[in-house]
Amino acid sequence: MIRFTLGTVSISEEANTILKEKHLTAETFLLRHRQGDWGDASESRKRTNDVHLLKGLMLHSNYDLDEELKLVIETAGDRSYTAVWMNHENVVKETDL
C-alpha cells in the first residue's frame, strides 16, 4: 500500500551508477520507501518515520546494498521532493541551507 507521494525525485549520479552495476533499480527502493518499508534503518529511526509520516515531517530510509554501501532515501516533510544518494556521498540537505 502506498502511504505517501514522493514529489520530484532526484537521484545522485553515483547512486544511479552503483544501482546499475548491481542490476538494481531505484524504483524498487522508492516503492519500498513509499510503502513505509524503511529498510535497514534503526528501530528508533523506523519509529520516528512512523510518527513523521502522520505529522508531515521528513522521512528517511536506508537500504544496505552490501557491507559498506547503503542507499539513502529522504522525502521532504511537505512531500515536494525525494532525494536518493549513497551513504558516503556529501549531499546538501534542506537543513543545511
Side-chain angles (χ1 to χ4, degrees):
M1 175 178 69
I2 303 300
R3 299 180 69 189
F4 59 93
T5 60
L6 298 173
T8 302
V9 176
S10 173
I11 303 173
S12 75
E13 190 173 319
E14 185 166 355
N16 197 39
T17 298
I18 290 171
L19 288 170
K20 283 182 182 178
E21 287 172 355
K22 293 186 169 289
H23 305 287
L24 300 169
T25 66
E27 290 79 8
T28 300
F29 294 99
L30 288 165
L31 178 60
R32 288 177 62 186
H33 180 71
R34 287 182 73 191
Q35 292 174 331
D37 171 357
W38 313 123
D40 300 297
S42 68
E43 290 305 313
S44 173
R45 168 47 68 187
K46 289 176 182 180
R47 286 191 302 274
T48 297
N49 276 351
D50 290 338
V51 171
H52 282 198
L53 183 61
L54 297 173
K55 293 186 174 190
L57 299 171
M58 183 174 279
L59 302 169
H60 177 96
S61 296
N62 64 288
Y63 304 92
D64 294 347
L65 302 183
D66 62 30
E67 290 182 13
E68 295 180 14
L69 292 173
K70 297 180 188 332
L71 186 73
V72 179
I73 303 178
E74 280 191 354
T75 298
D78 66 2
R79 310 300 181 250
S80 63
Y81 74 89
T82 297
V84 181
W85 71 91
M86 301 308 301
N87 60 308
H88 59 272
E89 292 185 87
N90 291 323
V91 178
V92 176
K93 297 185 209 172
E94 178 181 27
T95 55
D96 294 333
L97 300 176

